[in-house]
């Protein structure tokens, strides 16, 4: 999986963690031929922990052979203040790129169960 990390709050430690987590998820979900763009932002850009924007199926990407999954925007400052787990937020956003959602109670339950399972596996690995 190709992961493009940018943004005003990006630093070497955050970029290493983003690449590790998303590469692990890419292998787990067989998305090695995909591309994900990650913007690491601060409160001036986004007052939330994480947002994801799946790429439309017919999204043109002539400069790469990889299939675009979409974009993740993540705010590590917000995550830290809220006492949330950075890896968990990345997992949550990635699952949205794969089509998971939490619009209904059953969908939320399924997604949360998978998030917890994946988080436990990543923390071991």
């Amino acid at each position: 999986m190709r992961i493009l990390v940018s943004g005003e709050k990006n630093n070497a430690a955050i970029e290493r963690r983003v690449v590790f987590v998303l590469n692990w998820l890419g292998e787990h979900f067989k998305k090695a031929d995909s591309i994900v763009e990650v913007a690491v932002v601060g409160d001036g850009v986004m007052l939330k922990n994480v947002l994801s924007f799946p790429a439309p199926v017919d999204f043109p990407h002539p400069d790469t052979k990889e299939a675009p999954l979409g974009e993740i925007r993540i705010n590590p400052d917000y995550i830290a203040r809220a006492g949330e787990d950075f890896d968990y937020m990345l997992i949550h956003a990635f699952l949205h790129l794969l089509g998971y959602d939490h619009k209904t109670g059953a969908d939320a339950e399924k997604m949360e169960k998978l998030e917890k399972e994946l988080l436990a596996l990543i923390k071991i690995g």
Side-chain angles (χ1 to χ4, degrees), residues 34-97:
S34 300
I35 184 169
V36 176
E37 296 181 50
V38 179
V40 183
V41 300
D43 294 337
V45 174
M46 183 175 79
L47 290 173
K48 292 196 179 275
N49 49 13
V50 66
L51 293 171
S52 57
F53 305 95
V57 176
D58 58 349
F59 187 76
H61 221 279
D63 58 333
T64 182
K65 293 181 181 179
E66 295 103 336
L69 280 180
E71 181 180 329
I72 295 171
R73 294 184 190 170
I74 192 161
N75 183 338
D77 296 336
Y78 183 99
I79 291 168
R81 278 194 314 274
E84 296 172 344
D85 187 282
F86 187 83
D87 293 352
Y88 186 85
M89 292 294 107
L90 276 175
I91 291 167
H92 183 87
F94 186 83
L95 290 177
H96 276 301
L97 297 183

